[in-house]
Amino acid sequence: MMEPQEEKPIIYTMENKPIVTCAGDQALFTSLYTPLAQQLPREPMEWRRPYGRAPRMIHLEANFVQFKEELLPKEGNKALLTFPFLHIYWTDCCDTEVYKASVRDNMMRWQGNLRLHGSADWVIVVVETSDAKKKNKTNILPRSSLVDKIRNDFCNKQNDRCVVLSDPLKNSSRSQESWSAFLLKLRTLLLMSFTQNLGRFEEDMRTLREKRNQPGWSFCDYFMVQEELAFVFEMLQQFEDALLQYDELDALFTQYVLNFGAGDGANWLGSFCSPVKSWTGLLLRRPIDMEKRDGIQRGQASLLELRSYLFCRQCTLLIFLQRPWEVTQRALELLHNCVQELCLLEVSMLEGALDCWVFLSCLEVLHRIEGCCDQAQLEANVSHTVGLWAYATDKLKSLGYMCGLVSEKGPLSLELNRTVDLLAGLGDEKAETVHSLQSPYKKLKEALSSVEAFERHYLELSHAAVEMYTAIGRMRSARLVGKSLAEFYMRKGDPEQAESFLQNALRSYVSEGWSLPVTHTRKQMAECQKLLGKTENYLQTSALLAGDANLTNEERIHFCQEILTFANQSTDSKAQKVALSMASFTQLKQLQFRPATATVHSGTALQVELCLRSLMPVAVPLEQLTASVHLNLEQGETNGKTRGLQRRPYPGTVLFPLGNSSAMPSSAGPSLELEEIQDRSSSDPRTLNSTGMVCKNTHLVMRRHDSTLSLDTPNLVSPVPVVMDDGAKMLMSGDVTLLPGNNSIVFSVPSQELGTYTLRQLCATVGQVQFVLPHISPLVQYEVYSQEPQLTVDPLTDQLLAGLPQRAKVRLQTGHYTVKKGDALQLTNIDSMPILTSSSCPATILNSTAERVDESVLFIKSSDKVTSISLPPTPPYHTLEFQLEVLCVIPSDPVRPENQRLTNGEIHHRPRSYSHPDNHMTAINQRMSVDCPWSIYSTPISLTFYIPFKAKHSLLSAGNRKYIQVCLQNVSDVNFHLMDQRLTEKHHESSLELQSLNTKAQQTLYSVRAEIMPAAGQQNCHSGSLCGLEMSITRLAEPDDDDEEDGGTEEKGQTETEEVCSTKLMYEVADSSSSWVVYGRSSGLVSMPADANANHRVQVELMPLFAGHLPFPDIKVFKYLPPGANSASQPETDGCVENDILSLMDRPLDDQGDTASFSSQGSVHSVGSGEQQSRVLHMPRLEPFSPGQVFNHSQGCQVLVLPSTDDHVLEINAT
């Protein structure tokens, strides 16, 4: 047995390994230690963990130490790093006597100690060597017998706890196989111990975490427990699981801090609310900062110490996982979160101490990343580190302002004392960075030591941050750092250096539409320009700020007074005026012409009203307001009678888009697309946990835009030189005072010269300052024209019909001509279109806006060839309207007449005829000429007439007779009544006699309409269901004398004083297609009054037999002729069927001849007996109407019949 050695304490380092104790023959173990330690981690093992966690492949290592009872875990000890996971007893005993004398007793004591401390993870290793057999051949038992005895004595049912290792030091196949089996067994037992013990530890840790809401629970104690688990995972090289433990601790602590800020604080948080006395920053050069860990373990760590230690451990694991760029991301989040947590916990710190801690932490992280990455990787991943550079720059700047290192005079005594206190809180430099020349500690101490050192370090960090942001395309952030540099230079009294940075920042903010940053930067720009003596730039910036709604009213008035003060400084009128952009001073909202048209004739009194919105906070008196007008002579020619209709329309009112004067260009980008998001409880959807807004097009809104701006916008960094157009016509308005808000200014514009006028510029003069709008957009133009008189003749209806008197409107637009008294229109008379107007007619005079101004009477004189119309006096650019009645004679002779000449010598041709495309009416063009007093040329006038009829004839022969049939068709939309139609011969022949065969009576006497209606409550008819047929019979004309001669049109009543004239008709409803069944009476008599448009309605019930589109049943109407004169008149039936003839009526009418009578068919007596003949019953007769006398509107109509629903029930009995 080996002598006991001095106990060495276990150090918490990354090199810790699971502890395995070794008892028994220590010399034997020492001889096998080297191969055992080398071969154990070579083969990986699959580690299957509970709760569905993914299996991992791990390489097992072990720290083999001599067994001591002190190493066994005591009750309540939860330290996993000092926990022995496996106990091994080594022996090479092969002698029975030796085994019984000493080895067995040692094994029993060893196993008793393990059992006493609850350790069940053990194994007995029996080493078999050939040398031991040779020494003690007499007392040697077979190896199997000794192993069996050991198993019987100690292993009981756990025979696998006893392992045999044969000749481990020999290089033989048997030895190798024995080693492989032993190592596999050792890895398996060690892995089983890990799984069991870690499982118990995690259960205990989980139980402890669940008690976190109980009084007396301490986060620091729980921190040490879960960190033990992280140490074990790290010891097993499971860095991802180890990092997860620290992330859980980080999240748990953060949640408690947030709850504290919401009013739900834990008692143990009080230790972290103590004042911070040390701000040494992060220390990432140690794997484990034992000093801070001891503070956490004792519950005496501050918030910054806890956060520093926790991040240090996370950083170490992330470096092992080869994720250095995640370290920078987490570091930036940590620094910002710590600032907020200190505020939430209300931790008191020396002013500037937190800035020192953040600055040191940023540089420490950057140095740690530089130590594990090469230069190429650093340059390729600038986007991950630039945030730390910018944050460190910002904190160093804050420290410089606080310690008086940025002012021109240097730090004061109070600021020097503050610097001493801040440096004292840093303490002594750590041993790891003492020999580093660029350590964060040395940089901060040097930067706070003098003004020059601070400036050097600050500029170095700032320029590095700007270069990095520019390299990765984050121009907004680069402009922000540049703006911070500008503020630094302004504090140092160097505005020239600051101007370029401010210009770049302002250009970026303006182009992207950041309103508040633009306002703030412009204020800085104005201060810089004032110090540099750039008067024009300063005035332009002051004008922008005076109209900026983001500033207070006092600030706006200050900048406005700056402009007015400069404008009133010099009284020399010849002094050079300063031209500024008007868009920052006032905005043009609307321009309106008076009268409300932008196209006027020459000489019109035209005015322009401007609506200006002043952006200034006070009233500003203007010396004058001028507008430049340019005349384009190329478009100023005199418009003729066709040019006036094609004149380009110019709007009478022009609206100008308004923008925000603070810096919002129209191309700033797309508008925000916001959407509401809601977080509802999973248990109760009606409970709303939180709500918010999310931008759906962030990628478009936040996209960087081009920094180049239009020269017309007021958002330029520096003003653009503007000048008024030379040689342009100027509109002036003096002594104008612009009040805040909307103002109205009226100009009188020139309208004498012909052409198109364009308003190009607008200029407001205030003393020595001119506010110029260089381009008026959208384009504002008005046209001055001179129009020739125009004479037009238009019909009052859509179509002029030939052969009828028609009215036409004569419209005279005087243009530039003045109609004087005695002026007249001379119209050429033509035979085919005479003028029917009497000696006078009324006329109306309208002005250019179509308003009636006067009425007069025209006098008309007609001669053989000319019609003269005297005109009343009419001013220029007015309209004279009157009406003429003309008649176009329908040509009756196709022979072409001789050509006639108009008064101007033009040959009058025969009117051309053609067909109208819509109604096929033949059109006739009539042309006439008009001599006007303003022209030496005649004005041709053309009117188109349409012949409303089409006529055709045919010659028919019947024996020796000839029949001429004439068909006259009305093709117009006008109703005509044909009367006294006659056919005459053009060349009279004595042997030719024409006799009219036309009847006086109207051909169509009655009309019949029928409608089939479904049963009540139904939308369509169904087969097998009753439907209703409603029949309407209408008399179209009163009966004439011929009808009375038939004896069926007049009925006299019983008394002489009462006469009722009516006509009896008989109807019949029959179906020849076998599609309908008529229910009830299918025929009957109706009594039609003799009045025109008399109507009678009859209803019949039908049943359709089939489904589909069925044709209407046949409806027949007959004349009902009563019996002879001797028979008594029948009583009035009023549309009912006569009872005494129903039997005769029931016979089908198709079986009867057209002239058959009921009396002939009903006579059954012999004609030889006079007595019997005297008894013959005089029966009524039916006579059909002639073709065309009854018009059936429903002939050929169909009705939709749907199939009936099958409601039959089929009963089935199953047995």
Side-chain angles (χ1 to χ4, degrees), residues 606-718:
L606 183 63
Q607 291 181 330
V608 173
E609 180 182 4
L610 300 180
C611 181
L612 297 177
R613 176 173 174 262
S614 176
L615 303 177
M616 297 295 102
V618 296
V620 179
L622 304 181
E623 291 184 6
Q624 64 179 6
L625 182 66
T626 60
S628 65
V629 181
H630 177 77
L631 173 61
N632 186 3
L633 295 176
E634 295 181 358
Q635 303 179 8
E637 69 272 9
T638 302
N639 294 295
K641 54 186 177 182
T642 59
R643 178 63 186 270
L645 301 177
Q646 300 175 357
R647 186 177 298 113
R648 176 184 175 184
Y650 295 102
T653 302
V654 181
L655 300 178
F656 300 89
L658 296 180
N660 186 357
S661 63
S662 64
M664 301 298 108
S666 59
S667 60
S671 58
L672 293 176
E673 296 180 8
L674 299 179
E675 182 180 7
E676 181 184 6
I677 56 173
Q678 296 180 350
D679 179 21
R680 297 187 177 273
S681 174
S682 57
S683 58
D684 187 6
R686 295 174 298 178
T687 303
L688 182 64
N689 295 333
S690 63
T691 184
M693 302 295 292
V694 62
C695 180
K696 299 171 60 177
N697 60 338
T698 309
H699 61 290
L700 297 178
V701 176
M702 301 299 294
R703 181 177 57 189
R704 186 172 67 90
H705 301 277
D706 189 7
S707 299
T708 58
L709 297 176
S710 173
L711 297 180
D712 296 336
T713 63
N715 306 308
L716 295 173
V717 176
S718 58

Side-chain angles (χ1 to χ4, degrees), residues 490 502 517-529 538 541 545 551 555 559:
M490 291 294 293
L502 291 175
V518 164
T519 303
H520 184 261
T521 309
R522 276 196 179 137
K523 289 178 62 177
Q524 296 174 320
M525 179 69 77
E527 181 183 359
C528 180
Q529 292 168 346
Y538 174 69
T541 306
L545 292 172
L551 295 178
E555 291 177 314
F559 288 107

Side-chain angles (χ1 to χ4, degrees), residues 963-1066:
Y963 298 89
I964 300 176
Q965 183 183 37
V966 180
C967 295
L968 185 64
Q969 180 184 3
N970 180 12
V971 292
S972 68
D973 297 333
V974 181
N975 295 326
F976 291 93
H977 186 60
L978 186 62
M979 299 176 59
D980 192 19
Q981 62 272 17
R982 290 176 296 174
L983 183 66
T984 60
E985 47 187 316
K986 187 175 182 180
H987 302 286
H988 181 70
E989 296 288 343
S990 57
S991 60
L992 179 63
E993 180 182 357
L994 297 178
Q995 182 178 357
S996 176
L997 300 180
N998 297 313
T999 60
K1000 297 181 180 180
Q1002 186 174 352
Q1003 188 168 357
T1004 304
L1005 302 180
Y1006 298 94
S1007 69
V1008 179
R1009 294 180 183 271
E1011 183 179 0
I1012 297 179
M1013 296 173 293
Q1018 301 291 332
Q1019 294 183 352
N1020 298 95
C1021 297
H1022 293 267
S1023 61
S1025 300
L1026 289 178
C1027 303
L1029 172 67
E1030 183 174 342
M1031 179 173 55
S1032 173
I1033 304 176
T1034 304
R1035 182 192 292 273
L1036 299 181
E1038 296 180 0
D1040 53 11
D1041 297 339
D1042 295 338
D1043 293 334
E1044 293 179 357
E1045 293 177 358
D1046 293 338
T1049 61
E1050 184 176 350
E1051 250 186 31
K1052 294 186 178 180
Q1054 301 296 330
T1055 62
E1056 296 180 357
T1057 61
E1058 180 183 0
E1059 285 190 358
V1060 178
C1061 296
S1062 62
T1063 301
K1064 289 188 177 296
L1065 302 176
M1066 182 173 181

Side-chain angles (χ1 to χ4, degrees), residues 522-629:
R522 276 196 179 137
K523 289 178 62 177
Q524 296 174 320
M525 179 69 77
E527 181 183 359
C528 180
Q529 292 168 346
K530 188 174 184 179
L531 293 176
L532 293 175
K534 297 184 177 181
T535 304
E536 185 175 351
N537 294 354
Y538 174 69
L539 292 176
Q540 181 68 72
T541 306
S542 298
L544 291 170
L545 292 172
D548 197 332
N550 293 324
L551 295 178
T552 62
N553 195 47
E554 291 76 11
E555 291 177 314
R556 295 178 59 191
I557 293 176
H558 165 72
F559 288 107
C560 184
Q561 290 298 333
E562 290 285 303
I563 301 174
L564 297 179
T565 302
F566 175 83
N568 299 326
Q569 282 180 356
S570 176
T571 58
D572 187 4
S573 60
K574 298 182 180 180
Q576 182 68 30
K577 295 183 182 295
V578 177
L580 304 178
S581 174
M582 179 179 284
S584 60
F585 174 70
T586 184
Q587 292 179 343
L588 181 60
K589 286 184 58 179
Q590 178 179 323
L591 184 146
Q592 186 173 7
F593 288 95
R594 297 180 180 177
T597 176
T599 303
V600 297
H601 56 81
S602 60
T604 302
L606 183 63
Q607 291 181 330
V608 173
E609 180 182 4
L610 300 180
C611 181
L612 297 177
R613 176 173 174 262
S614 176
L615 303 177
M616 297 295 102
V618 296
V620 179
L622 304 181
E623 291 184 6
Q624 64 179 6
L625 182 66
T626 60
S628 65
V629 181

Side-chain angles (χ1 to χ4, degrees), residues 1021-1135:
C1021 297
H1022 293 267
S1023 61
S1025 300
L1026 289 178
C1027 303
L1029 172 67
E1030 183 174 342
M1031 179 173 55
S1032 173
I1033 304 176
T1034 304
R1035 182 192 292 273
L1036 299 181
E1038 296 180 0
D1040 53 11
D1041 297 339
D1042 295 338
D1043 293 334
E1044 293 179 357
E1045 293 177 358
D1046 293 338
T1049 61
E1050 184 176 350
E1051 250 186 31
K1052 294 186 178 180
Q1054 301 296 330
T1055 62
E1056 296 180 357
T1057 61
E1058 180 183 0
E1059 285 190 358
V1060 178
C1061 296
S1062 62
T1063 301
K1064 289 188 177 296
L1065 302 176
M1066 182 173 181
Y1067 69 88
E1068 181 185 22
V1069 179
D1071 181 28
S1072 60
S1073 62
S1074 301
S1075 300
W1076 302 86
V1077 174
V1078 181
Y1079 278 76
R1081 297 175 179 176
S1082 62
S1083 60
L1085 292 178
V1086 296
S1087 179
M1088 296 295 297
D1091 299 332
N1093 298 322
N1095 181 269
H1096 198 94
R1097 295 181 180 272
V1098 179
Q1099 292 184 351
V1100 178
E1101 290 187 340
L1102 304 174
M1103 176 185 290
L1105 300 179
F1106 308 103
H1109 290 276
L1110 302 184
F1112 275 43
D1114 296 333
I1115 300 176
K1116 298 181 181 179
V1117 180
F1118 301 91
K1119 295 179 183 179
Y1120 177 78
L1121 302 180
N1126 295 331
S1127 61
S1129 61
Q1130 300 177 0
E1132 180 65 40
T1133 60
D1134 193 18

Side-chain angles (χ1 to χ4, degrees), residues 653-841:
T653 302
V654 181
L655 300 178
F656 300 89
L658 296 180
N660 186 357
S661 63
S662 64
M664 301 298 108
S666 59
S667 60
S671 58
L672 293 176
E673 296 180 8
L674 299 179
E675 182 180 7
E676 181 184 6
I677 56 173
Q678 296 180 350
D679 179 21
R680 297 187 177 273
S681 174
S682 57
S683 58
D684 187 6
R686 295 174 298 178
T687 303
L688 182 64
N689 295 333
S690 63
T691 184
M693 302 295 292
V694 62
C695 180
K696 299 171 60 177
N697 60 338
T698 309
H699 61 290
L700 297 178
V701 176
M702 301 299 294
R703 181 177 57 189
R704 186 172 67 90
H705 301 277
D706 189 7
S707 299
T708 58
L709 297 176
S710 173
L711 297 180
D712 296 336
T713 63
N715 306 308
L716 295 173
V717 176
S718 58
V720 175
V722 289
V723 294
M724 297 296 293
D725 291 342
D726 294 333
K729 296 179 181 295
M730 305 301 294
L731 309 180
M732 295 187 182
S733 178
D735 297 331
V736 177
T737 300
L738 289 183
L739 301 176
N742 295 333
N743 299 266
S744 179
I745 296 94
V746 179
F747 292 100
S748 296
V749 298
S751 60
Q752 299 299 326
E753 299 183 45
L754 305 182
T756 301
Y757 293 80
T758 304
L759 272 69
R760 290 192 171 181
Q761 291 181 336
L762 197 62
C763 178
T765 303
V766 183
Q768 299 301 313
V769 179
Q770 285 184 334
F771 293 95
V772 181
L773 182 62
H775 304 285
I776 298 180
S777 179
L779 193 65
V780 178
Q781 291 181 323
Y782 69 95
E783 182 181 4
V784 178
Y785 66 92
S786 176
Q787 184 181 7
E788 292 291 334
Q790 298 181 21
L791 179 66
T792 57
V793 180
D794 299 318
L796 293 180
T797 59
D798 294 338
Q799 299 171 351
L800 296 176
L801 299 181
L804 300 175
Q806 302 289 294
R807 301 190 70 84
K809 177 187 288 187
V810 180
R811 180 183 179 88
L812 172 61
Q813 295 179 347
T814 59
H816 63 83
Y817 181 76
T818 301
V819 179
K820 300 175 293 294
K821 185 178 181 180
D823 290 346
L825 299 178
Q826 306 292 332
L827 282 71
T828 303
N829 294 337
I830 54 177
D831 297 339
S832 60
M833 189 184 68
I835 298 176
L836 306 180
T837 306
S838 60
S839 60
S840 64
C841 67

Side-chain angles (χ1 to χ4, degrees), residues 253-272:
F253 185 79
T254 302
Q255 187 61 49
Y256 270 105
V257 174
L258 293 177
N259 293 343
F260 183 88
D264 184 14
N267 295 330
W268 53 267
L269 273 174
S271 61
F272 296 100

